[in-house]
Amino acid sequence: MKMIKSPLHYLLLLASFCLINTSQAGEYPDQPHIIVSGSHTLRVEPDQLQLSLNISDTQLELARASQSVETRSIKLITRVKGIGIKPEDIQATELRITPRYKWQNQEQILTGTEVTRIIKLTLRNLDNYNQLIQLILDARVGRINNTQLFNSKQEELRKQALKGAIQDAKDKAELIAASISQALDGVYSINALSSQAIRPVARISVQEIANNTAFEPGLIEITERIDAIFLLKKSAPY
């Protein structure tokens, strides 16, 4: 009969491994210890949106293409200010000029010059999302490079997630220690790992932009992870 191993079984194996390897030098203590990982994820509603878009045009005459991009850029920037986007939330790059060619009879033929400007916007009121999309469509935006939903209390939420990750690690260490009739003797080290980038559960796609469909931002996830080493007391209190 095959024995089904519980998660606690693997935790005990981890604890036994740490107890056996107590003589390792370097980052591990000489005292018996437990090594655990902790994580915590918060799921919250986004209240802001960042997006990066391209305004571009390709024509045989560079001046015409440049004028088209300049006119549409100014129009878009002016109008997004009208829906509450502040100047500091608008970034516009210099014009990028790229000659375009095609091969014909083993010879490169100039087909035109592409002029592009990248504009980055931060919308801090999602109630104005539909208005922003209409302005983007009116400006004949060539491409939406990327979109990112986030929460304005991001740093505070990360701190909350980090506290949760520490508590998770402590709970695991206490469970392991109690299961082998040991007691914790404090923490030896805590290593905060790289925070997971805020990941939109629901993204805004280029197809949604083109179809002007209803906007459902969904939730975003904020995750923090740590590694921790907890010391064990030399004698059990039991």
Side-chain angles (χ1 to χ4, degrees):
M1 180 177 179
K2 186 177 180 181
M3 181 180 295
I4 300 176
K5 298 180 179 180
S6 68
L8 180 57
H9 171 83
Y10 295 103
L11 289 175
L12 293 176
L13 283 179
L14 174 61
S16 300
F17 175 81
C18 295
L19 288 169
I20 293 171
N21 292 274
T22 57
S23 60
Q24 295 182 5
E27 59 182 314
Y28 301 109
D30 292 331
Q31 183 176 338
H33 58 276
I34 295 173
I35 303 174
V36 294
S37 296
S39 65
H40 189 72
T41 297
L42 295 176
R43 294 175 178 84
V44 298
E45 292 185 2
D47 59 9
Q48 298 183 11
L49 166 72
Q50 289 179 337
L51 60 82
S52 171
L53 53 88
N54 279 14
I55 293 182
S56 61
D57 195 10
T58 302
Q59 298 198 36
L60 285 173
E61 295 184 24
L62 172 60
R64 286 179 177 270
S66 298
Q67 183 60 45
S68 171
V69 173
E70 285 283 10
T71 300
R72 288 151 57 204
S73 298
I74 293 172
K75 178 181 178 180
L76 177 62
I77 291 173
T78 300
R79 292 191 174 184
V80 297
K81 291 178 180 178
I83 62 171
I85 297 182
K86 298 179 180 180
E88 57 265 31
D89 290 329
I90 303 171
Q91 298 179 30
T93 66
E94 296 291 334
L95 295 179
R96 184 175 63 190
I97 300 173
T98 308
R100 297 299 181 189
Y101 299 90
K102 71 175 181 179
W103 285 96
Q104 183 174 325
N105 298 326
Q106 298 183 340
E107 183 179 354
Q108 274 192 327
I109 306 297
L110 179 67
T111 58
T113 301
E114 181 183 34
V115 178
T116 303
R117 167 170 282 146
I118 298 175
I119 298 179
K120 297 180 180 180
L121 303 172
T122 299
L123 180 66
R124 300 188 184 275
N125 183 358
L126 294 184
D127 290 340
N128 294 330
Y129 171 80
N130 289 333
Q131 290 177 272
L132 175 60
I133 295 309
Q134 189 58 54
L135 295 178
I136 290 174
L137 293 172
D138 291 344
R140 293 182 287 121
V141 169
R143 182 172 71 247
I144 303 294
N145 300 318
N146 58 70
T147 61
Q148 178 67 62
L149 290 163
F150 65 102
N151 189 285
S152 56
K153 297 180 180 179
Q154 174 178 329
E155 292 307 313
E156 179 182 336
L157 292 169
R158 286 195 182 280
K159 291 178 182 178
Q160 292 179 23
L162 182 58
K163 289 181 180 179
I166 294 172
Q167 186 62 52
D168 180 48
K170 182 180 178 182
D171 291 343
K172 289 178 180 177
E174 289 177 341
L175 175 61
I176 295 172
S179 299
I180 56 176
S181 300
Q182 298 288 319
L184 297 183
D185 192 25
V187 62
Y188 177 78
S189 69
I190 293 179
N191 179 28
L193 306 177
S194 299
S195 302
Q196 178 177 322
I198 294 179
R199 178 179 64 84
V201 176
R203 294 182 183 273
I204 306 168
S205 67
V206 178
Q207 191 62 42
E208 285 177 324
I209 297 292
N211 294 338
N212 197 24
T213 58
F215 176 49
E216 292 293 341
L219 299 177
I220 55 176
E221 295 181 354
I222 301 174
T223 300
E224 292 287 343
R225 296 184 176 87
I226 68 160
D227 287 335
I229 299 177
F230 289 87
L231 300 174
L232 292 173
K233 289 183 178 179
K234 294 182 179 179
S235 59
Y238 305 102

Short mmCIF file of all heavy atoms in Angstrom, two decimals, residues 40 42 153-167 195 222-226:
data_model
loop_
_atom_site.label_atom_id
_atom_site.label_comp_id
_atom_site.label_asym_id
_atom_site.label_seq_id
_atom_site.Cartn_x
_atom_site.Cartn_y
_atom_site.Cartn_z
N HIS A 40 3.73 36.30 1.08
CA HIS A 40 2.40 36.84 1.34
C HIS A 40 1.98 37.66 0.12
O HIS A 40 2.77 38.43 -0.43
CB HIS A 40 2.41 37.73 2.58
CG HIS A 40 1.04 38.14 3.03
ND1 HIS A 40 0.15 37.28 3.62
CD2 HIS A 40 0.39 39.34 2.93
CE1 HIS A 40 -0.97 37.91 3.91
NE2 HIS A 40 -0.86 39.16 3.49
N LEU A 42 -1.07 40.21 -1.49
CA LEU A 42 -2.25 41.06 -1.33
C LEU A 42 -2.91 41.23 -2.69
O LEU A 42 -2.23 41.44 -3.70
CB LEU A 42 -1.86 42.43 -0.77
CG LEU A 42 -1.27 42.48 0.64
CD1 LEU A 42 -0.86 43.91 0.98
CD2 LEU A 42 -2.25 41.96 1.67
N LYS A 153 -1.29 53.40 -3.36
CA LYS A 153 -0.70 53.11 -2.05
C LYS A 153 0.27 51.93 -2.15
O LYS A 153 0.40 51.12 -1.24
CB LYS A 153 -1.79 52.82 -1.03
CG LYS A 153 -2.72 54.00 -0.78
CD LYS A 153 -3.79 53.66 0.25
CE LYS A 153 -4.71 54.84 0.50
NZ LYS A 153 -5.77 54.52 1.49
N GLN A 154 0.97 51.86 -3.27
CA GLN A 154 1.83 50.73 -3.57
C GLN A 154 2.88 50.46 -2.48
O GLN A 154 3.05 49.33 -2.03
CB GLN A 154 2.54 50.97 -4.90
CG GLN A 154 3.58 49.93 -5.26
CD GLN A 154 4.19 50.20 -6.63
OE1 GLN A 154 3.53 50.75 -7.51
NE2 GLN A 154 5.45 49.86 -6.79
N GLU A 155 3.58 51.50 -2.02
CA GLU A 155 4.64 51.29 -1.04
C GLU A 155 4.08 50.79 0.28
O GLU A 155 4.66 49.91 0.93
CB GLU A 155 5.42 52.58 -0.84
CG GLU A 155 6.25 53.00 -2.05
CD GLU A 155 7.16 51.88 -2.52
OE1 GLU A 155 7.84 51.27 -1.67
OE2 GLU A 155 7.21 51.61 -3.73
N GLU A 156 2.96 51.36 0.70
CA GLU A 156 2.33 50.91 1.94
C GLU A 156 1.87 49.46 1.83
O GLU A 156 2.02 48.66 2.77
CB GLU A 156 1.12 51.81 2.26
CG GLU A 156 0.36 51.42 3.52
CD GLU A 156 -0.84 52.30 3.77
OE1 GLU A 156 -0.85 53.46 3.28
OE2 GLU A 156 -1.77 51.84 4.47
N LEU A 157 1.34 49.10 0.66
CA LEU A 157 0.89 47.73 0.45
C LEU A 157 2.06 46.75 0.44
O LEU A 157 1.95 45.63 0.94
CB LEU A 157 0.10 47.64 -0.86
CG LEU A 157 -1.24 48.38 -0.87
CD1 LEU A 157 -1.80 48.45 -2.28
CD2 LEU A 157 -2.24 47.69 0.06
N ARG A 158 3.18 47.17 -0.11
CA ARG A 158 4.37 46.31 -0.12
C ARG A 158 4.85 46.04 1.30
O ARG A 158 5.30 44.94 1.63
CB ARG A 158 5.49 46.94 -0.95
CG ARG A 158 5.24 46.86 -2.46
CD ARG A 158 6.51 47.15 -3.22
NE ARG A 158 6.29 47.13 -4.65
CZ ARG A 158 6.21 46.03 -5.39
NH1 ARG A 158 6.31 44.85 -4.81
NH2 ARG A 158 6.02 46.10 -6.69
N LYS A 159 4.79 47.07 2.15
CA LYS A 159 5.19 46.89 3.54
C LYS A 159 4.26 45.90 4.24
O LYS A 159 4.72 45.06 5.02
CB LYS A 159 5.18 48.24 4.26
CG LYS A 159 6.28 49.19 3.80
CD LYS A 159 6.18 50.53 4.51
CE LYS A 159 7.26 51.50 4.01
NZ LYS A 159 7.14 52.83 4.68
N GLN A 160 2.98 46.01 3.97
CA GLN A 160 2.02 45.07 4.55
C GLN A 160 2.30 43.64 4.08
O GLN A 160 2.25 42.69 4.86
CB GLN A 160 0.59 45.47 4.18
CG GLN A 160 0.11 46.77 4.80
CD GLN A 160 -1.30 47.11 4.38
OE1 GLN A 160 -2.08 46.25 3.98
NE2 GLN A 160 -1.65 48.38 4.46
N ALA A 161 2.60 43.50 2.79
CA ALA A 161 2.90 42.18 2.25
C ALA A 161 4.18 41.62 2.87
O ALA A 161 4.28 40.41 3.13
CB ALA A 161 3.02 42.24 0.73
N LEU A 162 5.17 42.49 3.10
CA LEU A 162 6.43 42.04 3.70
C LEU A 162 6.20 41.55 5.13
O LEU A 162 6.74 40.52 5.56
CB LEU A 162 7.45 43.17 3.68
CG LEU A 162 8.84 42.85 4.24
CD1 LEU A 162 9.46 41.67 3.50
CD2 LEU A 162 9.75 44.07 4.16
N LYS A 163 5.38 42.28 5.90
CA LYS A 163 5.05 41.84 7.26
C LYS A 163 4.35 40.48 7.22
O LYS A 163 4.60 39.61 8.06
CB LYS A 163 4.15 42.87 7.93
CG LYS A 163 4.85 44.17 8.30
CD LYS A 163 3.88 45.13 8.98
CE LYS A 163 4.57 46.44 9.35
NZ LYS A 163 3.63 47.40 9.99
N GLY A 164 3.48 40.30 6.25
CA GLY A 164 2.79 39.03 6.11
C GLY A 164 3.75 37.89 5.77
O GLY A 164 3.60 36.76 6.25
N ALA A 165 4.76 38.18 4.94
CA ALA A 165 5.74 37.16 4.57
C ALA A 165 6.58 36.76 5.77
O ALA A 165 6.90 35.57 5.97
CB ALA A 165 6.64 37.68 3.45
N ILE A 166 6.94 37.73 6.62
CA ILE A 166 7.71 37.44 7.83
C ILE A 166 6.88 36.58 8.78
O ILE A 166 7.38 35.60 9.35
CB ILE A 166 8.13 38.75 8.52
CG1 ILE A 166 9.13 39.51 7.63
CG2 ILE A 166 8.76 38.47 9.88
CD1 ILE A 166 9.46 40.90 8.12
N GLN A 167 5.60 36.91 8.94
CA GLN A 167 4.73 36.13 9.82
C GLN A 167 4.55 34.71 9.29
O GLN A 167 4.52 33.74 10.06
CB GLN A 167 3.37 36.82 9.96
CG GLN A 167 2.43 36.16 10.96
CD GLN A 167 2.99 36.18 12.37
OE1 GLN A 167 3.39 37.23 12.87
NE2 GLN A 167 3.03 35.02 13.03
N SER A 195 11.04 41.84 -4.68
CA SER A 195 9.58 41.91 -4.73
C SER A 195 9.09 41.53 -6.11
O SER A 195 9.70 41.87 -7.12
CB SER A 195 9.12 43.33 -4.39
OG SER A 195 9.57 43.72 -3.12
N ILE A 222 0.19 41.93 -5.20
CA ILE A 222 1.45 42.42 -4.68
C ILE A 222 2.01 41.32 -3.78
O ILE A 222 1.38 40.95 -2.79
CB ILE A 222 1.27 43.72 -3.89
CG1 ILE A 222 0.65 44.79 -4.79
CG2 ILE A 222 2.59 44.21 -3.31
CD1 ILE A 222 0.29 46.08 -4.08
N THR A 223 3.17 40.79 -4.13
CA THR A 223 3.74 39.66 -3.41
C THR A 223 5.12 39.99 -2.87
O THR A 223 5.95 40.57 -3.59
CB THR A 223 3.83 38.42 -4.33
OG1 THR A 223 2.52 38.07 -4.77
CG2 THR A 223 4.45 37.25 -3.59
N GLU A 224 5.37 39.62 -1.62
CA GLU A 224 6.69 39.74 -1.00
C GLU A 224 7.12 38.35 -0.53
O GLU A 224 6.29 37.56 -0.07
CB GLU A 224 6.67 40.70 0.17
CG GLU A 224 6.43 42.16 -0.21
CD GLU A 224 7.63 42.80 -0.88
OE1 GLU A 224 8.75 42.25 -0.75
OE2 GLU A 224 7.46 43.86 -1.52
N ARG A 225 8.43 38.06 -0.63
CA ARG A 225 8.97 36.78 -0.21
C ARG A 225 10.24 36.99 0.62
O ARG A 225 10.99 37.93 0.37
CB ARG A 225 9.30 35.90 -1.42
CG ARG A 225 8.09 35.50 -2.25
CD ARG A 225 8.49 34.56 -3.38
NE ARG A 225 7.34 34.09 -4.13
CZ ARG A 225 6.82 34.73 -5.16
NH1 ARG A 225 7.35 35.88 -5.55
NH2 ARG A 225 5.77 34.25 -5.81
N ILE A 226 10.46 36.10 1.58
CA ILE A 226 11.67 36.17 2.40
C ILE A 226 12.21 34.76 2.64
O ILE A 226 11.48 33.78 2.53
CB ILE A 226 11.43 36.85 3.77
CG1 ILE A 226 10.52 35.97 4.65
CG2 ILE A 226 10.85 38.24 3.62
CD1 ILE A 226 10.61 36.29 6.11
#
